[in-house]
Amino acid sequence: MEVPGFEAGDTNDEAIFNMKPSQKSRKTGGFQSMNLSITVLKGITKRGYKQPTPIQRKTIPLILEGRDIVGMARTGSGKTAAFLIPMFEKLKSRQAKTGARALILSPTRELALQTLKFIKEIGRFVGLKAAVILGGDSMEDQFSVIHGNPDVIVATPGRFLHICIEMELKLNCVEYVVFDEADRLFEMGLSEQLGEILTRLPDARQTVLFSATLPKVLVEFSKAGLSDPVLIRLDLESKLPEELKLCFFTVRHEEKVAALLVLLKSVVKKDQQTVVFAATKYHVEYLHTILEQMGLENAYIYSDLDPSARKINAAKFSLGKVKILIVTDVAARGIDIPQLDNVINFNFPAKPKLFVHRVGRCARAGRSGTAYSLVASNEYAHLLDLHLFLGRPMPLATTTNADGAIGRIPQSLLEDQMSSLLIVENRSDVQNLQTTADNGYKQYLRSRQAASAESNRNVKDLPWSSVSVHPIFGKLVERVNLEGEHFMDRMKAYRPQGTIFEICGKNKSQEYLAMKEKRAAHKQKILDHRRELEEKMAAKEQNLFQPAAKLQTSNEEDISRGFSDVVVPKRMRMDSLYTRKRKGRDVFVPYASEDRHAEEGLLVNNFQKEAKRAELELVADSEQALKMTKQMKRWDRKKKKMVNVEDPRKGKIRTESGVWIPATYKTNRYADWKEKTKKTIIGGDDIDDEDRSANRNAFSGRKRYTHWAKHNEKVKTKQMKSEMKSTGQILKAREIAERKKQRSKKKTKRTTKRKKTQK
């Protein structure tokens, strides 16, 4: 099956390079119309790209013009290739003596390794040297990698800043900077590290920001130092691809593991790949053990796992050795798994934006996929937040509406898995893992972001008790007794018209006659009350389940303040981007925009949280005293009193740009490494052996393969060398002299022994 936008890797691409110039310049909409070089085009076609995606078609020409870009597009739309292809075209070829000319910052280890893989695949004919700098790897190896002068550096911000400060690294040659998943970089609290890295970069650089979601007000991203940027907002109407199917199941918290087993054994096909998202690393270990005991082979990844183990488990899943991968949110961003079919949310995400990133791992590049979510009672409000954010209806599967997307799992299937789980959970090691996971979940609930007040208020009025079996189980008729399940649902929804005195009492009893008389007296009030409840519920359902209007972007003032150019799809009218101001007298009218739920989900900083941090001490009477009182005291919630605050600069050092960073960033590890590796750095030169031989060949002209030609080249290079020896050469000469001395001593000892034995 041919996927839209892709083709087989062994495609015959001779026709592309043999095209006439007039054919290449024709507006065909392909990569050939972008005036790319032959080496870049060859790498693109060998990778399997046939037609550029909308984000690639909009951004690549602008990046090649040298413009700064802020790109927003749906997950799985090809953002990685959108910033790599123009990078190859701008850097052209390898330059050994220049140093790093491109820097790509990624939020997670897996995303950085995936970007490096794309660089090697698409740019294999360009000849650029790429290196990756990640936390958890050996710093000594990374020192030697930097000394090799790579053209492109892919790094995570924390470790890269550590390397910059240790080595006092100069980034004057960097001309192309990419922030991949930019909103995640700022949300992780890396603003100080990013600011310090940016101060080390030259002002003439080109900066590109890419993300699946960006907030309306790009305040945090202005810190990146963009100059006259272009904002590109594509696919705003649909945050999720149309090929992705969403299924939600209401379960009790105690039945979630059994529900997961039902999905993996009964719903998901055995030959399909599935990623399971859990809340904490303790849940990941617990689910891994449970699934292994139940005969389901799986791999797992979380942030604290050893880097080599993470790499091995990811390779097992990507190569198809195992079909199930259990992860935390470390894999929710940017990871490209081409054949992924299903995503299961074991713990429902607190943020709608995180849900978009999780389920965006499947249904990529035109493929279809399904996202299953297990929703407990304490997660109903977050489910409502998600539907308000997506602007989609929220249909519950009931006896009257059998096509709803929110249903429950048949009780018979849950009971079967619960009985099989009892045998596994009785083991001591599994019980310890379960206790640890429960404690970790309690801590997770404390730090989990609360749902909006509106959702918490409205979710109480929804008929969760009347939710029936999900329509997806209609195909499992041979294993599920749907008639029995529907009968139980009708029994749960049944409400008798009379009270207990009327139903259970005798016809001539005093209680029965009193209730009959009371009901007859208040008959009209009862009917009015029921009608009022029905109207209120209908109005609430209309407000909750009606799809929201299309998203509105910033007004003219906001956009003109941040961007001089805005690129939008052709189907969106530019007039709809701007809100017209009413003329006349200024009157305050309370107003909430139609897209407020979506914009609240996209926020990087919340105004309420920022306002809570601000405080004013009225006792102090000077600016200095105000600062001192704010630094000296803070309110301790546990002790219920004001306590002293430690100096915020304690354990920190100040950089050249004036930023205070942890003192652990500056140690003597690089100096120790240089001292140990003096014999490997010849003449203090930072060029590796490959580039050194290339420079020699370039100097001597065309290569000569005869013995005397090579001998003459060696003589010339010796004559060109300076007579001043470096420290490494002196140490090496001393070492060789010492070896000769020891060898001669051993030789004299052997000769004296032989003479003695002969006598």
Side-chain angles (χ1 to χ4, degrees):
M1 185 182 69
E2 187 176 352
V3 181
F6 294 85
E7 63 179 358
D10 57 350
T11 309
N12 185 13
D13 56 345
E14 292 297 327
I16 296 173
F17 307 117
N18 295 331
M19 290 173 67
K20 297 178 181 179
S22 60
Q23 292 177 337
K24 288 186 180 181
S25 60
R26 191 181 301 163
K27 293 185 178 179
T28 58
F31 289 105
Q32 296 81 16
S33 62
M34 295 181 180
N35 295 324
L36 300 174
S37 59
I38 292 178
T39 53
V40 178
L41 275 175
K42 193 174 180 182
I44 292 170
T45 52
K46 290 294 182 182
R47 176 64 177 83
Y49 293 149
K50 187 176 181 181
Q51 291 292 331
T53 61
I55 188 68
Q56 294 169 0
R57 192 176 292 111
K58 295 286 185 183
T59 55
I60 290 176
L62 290 172
I63 296 175
L64 291 176
E65 290 177 7
R67 301 292 301 273
D68 287 359
I69 299 295
V70 176
M72 173 183 177
R74 193 173 58 199
T75 179
S77 58
K79 294 187 293 296
T80 305
F83 63 77
L84 288 183
I85 291 172
M87 182 189 74
F88 295 136
E89 188 65 27
K90 291 173 78 69
L91 300 187
K92 296 292 185 183
S93 60
R94 166 90 172 129
Q95 293 184 12
K97 291 187 178 181
T98 308
R101 291 180 290 153
L103 175 63
I104 302 172
L105 296 175
S106 301
T108 61
R109 178 187 185 88
E110 283 74 19
L111 186 55
L113 291 173
Q114 178 182 299
T115 305
L116 182 68
K117 180 184 176 184
F118 270 86
I119 291 173
K120 290 180 178 178
E121 290 177 351
I122 302 177
R124 54 179 164 172
F125 300 106
V126 182
L128 296 175
K129 185 176 181 180
V132 62
I133 305 295
L134 303 174
D137 293 348
S138 171
M139 287 193 73
E140 285 74 15
D141 295 341
Q142 292 173 354
F143 292 150
S144 59
V145 165
I146 297 295
H147 272 262
N149 283 338
D151 296 289
V152 183
I153 296 178
V154 185
T156 51
R159 174 52 66 89
F160 183 68
L161 179 60
H162 198 168
I163 292 290
C164 289
I165 294 174
E166 282 284 350
M167 302 181 67
E168 296 181 358
L169 194 63
K170 303 297 182 185
L171 303 174
N172 300 329
C173 298
V174 174
E175 55 189 66
Y176 189 77
V177 183
V178 178
F179 291 84
D180 197 8
E181 299 292 344
D183 56 342
R184 181 62 178 159
L185 287 171
F186 284 96
E187 283 177 354
M188 291 170 68
L190 299 174
S191 57
E192 290 184 358
Q193 288 88 337
L194 293 172
E196 177 60 24
I197 292 172
L198 288 169
T199 55
R200 295 170 176 267
L201 296 171
D203 295 333
R205 68 182 181 274
Q206 183 181 3
T207 310
V208 178
L209 280 76
F210 274 100
S211 177
T213 58
L214 289 175
K216 188 194 298 185
V217 183
L218 302 173
V219 178
E220 290 294 333
F221 299 97
S222 64
K223 295 180 181 178
L226 277 68
S227 61
D228 192 20
V230 180
L231 173 63
I232 300 176
R233 303 186 72 176
L234 302 180
D235 300 328
L236 289 179
E237 293 84 356
S238 56
K239 299 180 181 67
L240 296 176
E242 296 178 357
E243 296 82 7
L244 180 65
K245 182 181 179 182
L246 299 180
C247 298
F248 303 94
F249 305 100
T250 59
V251 295
R252 292 188 301 168
H253 180 72
E254 298 79 11
E255 297 176 343
K256 273 198 171 184
V257 180
L260 176 64
L261 291 173
V262 170
L263 293 178
L264 292 176
K265 289 185 175 182
S266 302
V267 179
V268 176
K269 296 180 181 178
K270 293 183 179 180
D271 58 341
Q272 291 182 346
Q273 286 189 317
T274 306
V275 173
V276 181
F277 283 96
T280 64
K281 66 176 183 179
Y282 308 109
H283 287 80
V284 171
E285 293 175 348
Y286 173 61
L287 292 177
H288 167 69
T289 307
I290 289 289
L291 295 184
E292 287 287 341
Q293 295 296 326
M294 299 299 291
L296 298 171
E297 293 186 4
N298 62 90
Y300 61 99
I301 293 175
Y302 54 84
S303 58
D304 290 346
L305 192 65
D306 184 71
S308 57
R310 285 169 68 172
K311 192 181 294 184
I312 291 170
N313 289 344
K316 278 184 182 179
F317 184 71
S318 60
L319 294 174
K321 299 290 181 65
V322 294
K323 297 295 183 181
I324 303 170
L325 180 67
I326 309 171
V327 297
T328 56
D329 288 325
V330 72
R333 292 263 184 165
I335 307 302
D336 184 23
I337 307 170
Q339 304 298 325
L340 185 60
D341 302 290
N342 306 290
V343 170
I344 299 178
N345 291 309
F346 182 79
N347 297 106
F348 198 77
K351 296 180 180 180
K353 187 166 58 171
L354 184 56
F355 179 88
V356 172
H357 283 290
R358 280 187 180 185
V359 303
R361 301 309 100 213
C362 64
R364 299 167 74 90
R367 289 178 55 87
S368 60
T370 311
Y372 306 98
S373 300
L374 304 177
V375 189
S377 58
N378 61 349
E379 298 167 335
Y380 288 162
H382 294 95
L383 177 62
L384 184 54
D385 269 347
L386 171 67
H387 283 80
L388 291 173
F389 172 75
L390 295 176
R392 292 189 177 188
M394 188 178 166
L396 300 177
T398 58
T399 53
T400 57
N401 181 22
D403 297 329
I406 304 172
R408 62 178 179 84
I409 299 175
Q411 193 63 29
S412 57
L413 296 180
L414 284 175
E415 289 173 356
D416 292 344
Q417 298 302 328
M418 289 289 286
S419 59
S420 60
L421 270 175
L422 289 175
I423 304 172
V424 178
E425 289 178 346
N426 286 332
R427 295 179 50 180
S428 59
D429 56 341
V430 177
Q431 287 179 354
N432 294 334
L433 287 173
Q434 185 178 7
T435 305
T436 308
D438 291 339
N439 294 334
Y441 188 69
K442 292 176 183 177
Q443 297 296 328
Y444 165 74
L445 290 179
R446 291 182 181 179
S447 61
R448 185 179 66 175
Q449 181 180 346
S452 63
E454 183 181 358
S455 296
N456 281 315
R457 184 172 57 254
N458 292 329
V459 78
K460 298 175 184 177
D461 299 329
L462 296 178
W464 297 105
S465 59
S466 62
V467 174
S468 62
V469 177
H470 198 281
I472 199 172
F473 291 98
K475 301 175 183 178
L476 306 174
V477 180
E478 65 277 2
R479 295 190 58 188
V480 182
N481 185 10
L482 290 180
E483 293 184 1
E485 294 286 344
H486 291 322
F487 178 73
M488 294 298 294
D489 292 339
R490 288 194 295 271
M491 284 186 63
K492 290 178 183 178
Y494 173 72
R495 295 292 180 271
Q497 295 294 328
T499 61
I500 190 172
F501 301 105
E502 299 170 79
I503 296 172
C504 300
K506 296 180 181 179
N507 293 341
K508 294 183 180 180
S509 64
Q510 187 176 359
E511 296 85 357
Y512 178 79
L513 295 175
M515 288 303 301
K516 277 288 184 182
E517 184 180 352
K518 194 73 174 173
R519 185 178 295 278
H522 299 286
K523 183 178 180 181
Q524 190 61 37
K525 291 184 179 180
I526 294 172
L527 293 175
D528 293 342
H529 177 69
R530 287 178 180 172
R531 186 173 64 254
E532 185 180 349
L533 287 178
E534 290 176 359
E535 290 176 357
K536 191 182 294 184
M537 191 62 193
K540 193 173 288 293
E541 286 184 359
Q542 186 177 3
N543 293 334
L544 289 177
F545 305 148
Q546 188 177 5
K550 294 183 179 180
L551 292 179
Q552 298 176 356
T553 54
S554 305
N555 54 30
E556 185 177 3
E557 184 181 354
D558 293 335
I559 292 180
S560 61
R561 191 189 307 124
F563 304 95
S564 58
D565 297 326
V566 180
V567 180
V568 295
K570 290 183 179 179
R571 62 179 178 271
M572 292 180 61
R573 294 179 58 191
M574 290 299 294
D575 297 339
S576 64
L577 289 175
Y578 308 128
T579 306
R580 296 179 180 177
K581 297 182 179 179
R582 291 186 177 182
K583 297 180 180 180
R585 188 164 53 92
D586 292 336
V587 179
F588 173 74
V589 178
Y591 169 73
S593 61
E594 294 178 344
D595 64 334
R596 64 186 183 280
H597 303 291
E599 292 300 339
E600 286 173 3
L602 294 173
L603 283 178
V604 175
N605 281 341
N606 192 355
F607 174 75
Q608 286 80 7
K609 292 181 180 178
E610 294 294 331
K612 286 179 181 178
R613 298 177 187 172
E615 61 181 20
L616 179 63
E617 179 63 49
L618 297 177
V619 178
D621 57 354
S622 66
E623 185 178 356
Q624 186 177 2
L626 281 169
K627 290 182 180 179
M628 290 300 295
T629 51
K630 186 175 180 179
Q631 293 174 0
M632 288 168 58
K633 297 283 186 180
R634 70 174 177 87
W635 179 258
D636 193 337
R637 294 174 59 188
K638 293 183 178 179
K639 296 181 179 179
K640 304 294 182 183
K641 63 179 183 180
M642 299 294 291
V643 296
N644 292 327
V645 180
E646 294 183 358
D647 186 5
R649 297 177 183 178
K650 185 178 180 181
K652 292 188 176 181
I653 57 174
R654 191 172 185 177
T655 60
E656 295 177 358
S657 61
V659 179
W660 291 87
I661 60 173
T664 53
Y665 278 90
K666 183 61 178 175
T667 60
N668 293 324
R669 296 179 67 175
Y670 179 61
D672 298 339
W673 177 81
K674 279 207 304 186
E675 194 68 29
K676 288 178 184 176
T677 55
K678 272 182 182 178
K679 56 184 179 182
T680 59
I681 301 176
I682 302 174
D685 198 359
D686 291 344
I687 304 174
D688 53 5
D689 298 335
E690 216 175 274
D691 298 324
R692 190 176 291 108
S693 62
N695 291 339
R696 284 202 299 267
N697 292 333
F699 175 81
S700 59
R702 65 185 184 85
K703 293 182 179 179
R704 305 179 188 278
Y705 296 100
T706 61
H707 170 72
W708 287 109
K710 291 180 181 178
H711 174 72
N712 293 335
E713 285 180 5
K714 287 180 181 179
V715 172
K716 286 180 181 179
T717 52
K718 283 182 181 179
Q719 290 175 355
M720 287 170 57
K721 283 184 180 180
S722 175
E723 295 181 359
M724 295 289 292
K725 292 185 177 180
S726 65
T727 312
Q729 290 172 337
I730 294 170
L731 289 172
K732 193 171 184 180
R734 287 178 182 175
E735 198 175 330
I736 293 170
E738 187 66 27
R739 266 192 232 139
K740 286 181 179 178
K741 194 175 180 181
Q742 294 293 335
R743 204 179 296 125
S744 62
K745 282 183 181 180
K746 288 179 181 178
K747 195 173 182 181
T748 52
K749 283 182 181 179
R750 281 199 297 270
T751 52
T752 52
K753 255 188 196 179
R754 198 180 299 119
K755 287 180 181 178
K756 285 181 181 180
T757 52
Q758 286 177 359
K759 288 180 180 180

